[in-house]
Every structure is written in C-alpha cells, then in structure tokens.
Amino acid sequence: MSMQAKKPAKIRNKFALRLMPSVRLGAEKISASEGVSLNQFINVAIAEKVARVEHDRWAVNREPVDDAARADALDLLRRGGRLAPEPGDEVPAEYLDWKRRKGAAKASKSSQARVRAARG
C-alpha cells in the first residue's frame, strides 16, 4: 500500500456572508466614501484583523530584548551616518518647518512654565 499525500482542499473564493443590517450600512457608507467596493473594504478589514492577531501572537512569543541589546541599538541610532541621503531619502522641507515651529513652541517661556507647574 503506497502512501500518497492528500491533495490540499480547494480554497473557495466566494462564500455567503451574513451581516447585521446596521453593520452592512456602515460598511457601505465607509467603502463608498473611500471609493472602494464593499467587497474590497471587507477584504481589507479582515486582512487588518488577521495582521493584528498574528502580531499579538508574535509579540507574546518573541524573545525578550535584554538591556545590553537595547543599549547597543540606541547607541547605533545616536551615531548618525556620514553619508548624504540618497536622492528621494531627504527629509521633506515641510517636516523641517514643522519641526522648527514645534521646537520653538517648546522653547517658549510659557511652555516651560506650564511644564514646571505640571510637575509641581
């Protein structure tokens, strides 16, 4: 008697999905506002949920990061490179403007006073 591998079950791409009317209406409104079909919206929603569950399982089972590895990674990030960014990798000008505005707000005396007051 020869042992043959079982053929994998055929994956069906279509199946009936029963949704509560309120859920379907909400999904239809969102999919229309995003310019995608209800089918595409449901596919993306399921894919997002599957990815989240898989990530949560991975996070629970992964090896913990020890302090030495964390310190090495932070040291590497602090060093910074000497090479100029390649074309397309530059920091966008609007980000630099936003960063300056945000930095100026942080440096203002009123902001510093609020931080000190919150700390007590």
Side-chain angles (χ1 to χ4, degrees):
M1 180 191 257
S2 68
M3 296 182 66
Q4 293 179 345
K6 289 186 177 181
K7 290 183 182 179
K10 184 177 179 183
I11 297 175
R12 297 179 62 194
N13 293 332
K14 295 181 182 183
F15 65 94
L17 177 63
R18 293 185 185 95
L19 296 173
M20 295 182 300
S22 60
V23 172
R24 180 175 177 149
L25 181 62
E28 286 174 341
K29 285 180 182 178
I30 294 170
S31 66
S33 72
E34 293 185 3
V36 298
S37 68
L38 179 59
N39 183 65
Q40 180 66 23
F41 177 78
I42 292 170
N43 270 287
V44 170
I46 292 171
E48 288 175 357
K49 179 64 177 185
V50 168
R52 180 64 190 182
V53 169
E54 288 175 349
H55 172 269
D56 290 347
R57 287 182 184 155
W58 169 83
V60 167
N61 296 320
R62 75 184 180 111
E63 291 283 326
V65 178
D66 63 1
D67 290 336
R70 184 177 293 113
D72 288 346
L74 290 173
D75 181 52
L76 180 67
L77 290 171
R78 283 188 198 105
R79 277 190 246 156
R82 291 187 175 92
L83 299 176
E86 292 187 17
D89 286 344
E90 302 88 359
V91 175
E94 56 271 8
Y95 173 78
L96 294 174
D97 292 340
W98 172 83
K99 190 175 178 182
R100 276 187 227 127
R101 285 194 310 269
K102 189 172 183 175
K106 284 185 178 179
S108 72
K109 291 181 181 180
S110 61
S111 295
Q112 291 174 357
R114 277 185 262 143
V115 170
R116 282 194 294 270
R119 289 182 183 161

